[in-house]
Amino acid sequence: MSNFLRRLKLLPWREMLQIAALVNSIVIGLELFLTWGFTHSRAIRNILTLLYGSPLGLLIPFATAVGMGALAVYFLEYWHQQYLLNKINLWVLALCVLLGLVLKSFLPVLSFLVSLSEAALIGVTIGVFWKGRPYWR
């Protein structure tokens, strides 16, 4: 048991949390832009109404969550190349991105793209492990 706790302490938590914060900040920025566009631009309002009124509107939060997970793995590959990625690191990264979604749920931001839900949980996990497929070993 102490070996497990020691391995857990040695994971790159700081880097994973920084990447999760960056990915969630990007999504928050896009949501703020869409909120501003929805209130100030008739064209963006019409596009969002058409998009979310169609059956495709149900897939947007899931697709955004998958993109968040994949983007997090991409940033981890790009900036922190010194860490050997494996299944445990990918699970920690998915957990950190989901923690960011939990914190985002407390912000007064209208969530056009993704919010904390089961679809987001599944989507982030699929995105992380889909992009991190070479590191499953």
Side-chain angles (χ1 to χ4, degrees):
M1 184 69 171
S2 66
N3 188 23
F4 174 74
L5 291 176
R6 187 171 149 256
R7 285 180 48 202
L8 198 60
K9 285 181 188 178
L10 294 176
L11 290 173
W13 289 99
R14 177 178 291 171
E15 289 77 12
M16 301 278 187
L17 288 171
Q18 287 173 349
I19 288 172
L22 176 65
V23 168
N24 280 292
S25 297
I26 290 171
V27 170
I28 289 172
L30 286 172
E31 287 179 341
L32 288 173
F33 173 74
L34 289 176
T35 303
W36 178 83
F38 188 80
T39 58
H40 289 82
S41 172
R42 170 169 255 150
I44 293 177
R45 182 180 313 130
N46 290 340
I47 290 170
L48 289 174
T49 304
L50 179 68
L51 192 61
Y52 280 99
S54 71
L56 186 64
L58 297 173
L59 293 176
I60 291 172
F62 179 74
T64 305
V66 170
M68 286 176 69
L71 189 63
V73 173
Y74 175 75
F75 284 152
L76 187 65
E77 288 174 343
Y78 186 73
W79 279 315
H80 299 290
Q81 297 171 352
Q82 71 268 23
Y83 295 112
L84 179 65
L85 289 176
N86 55 23
K87 282 189 278 191
I88 302 298
N89 289 350
L90 293 176
W91 277 112
V92 168
L93 184 62
L95 178 72
C96 289
V97 172
L98 288 170
L99 179 65
L101 282 176
V102 168
L103 294 176
K104 180 183 159 294
S105 69
F106 293 118
L107 295 176
V109 176
L110 188 61
S111 59
F112 274 109
L113 298 176
V114 67
S115 61
L116 186 62
S117 65
E118 290 177 7
L121 170 74
I122 294 168
V124 167
T125 307
I126 287 174
V128 165
F129 282 95
W130 173 58
K131 176 69 174 132
R133 190 175 328 150
Y135 309 110
W136 284 2
R137 49 178 143 63

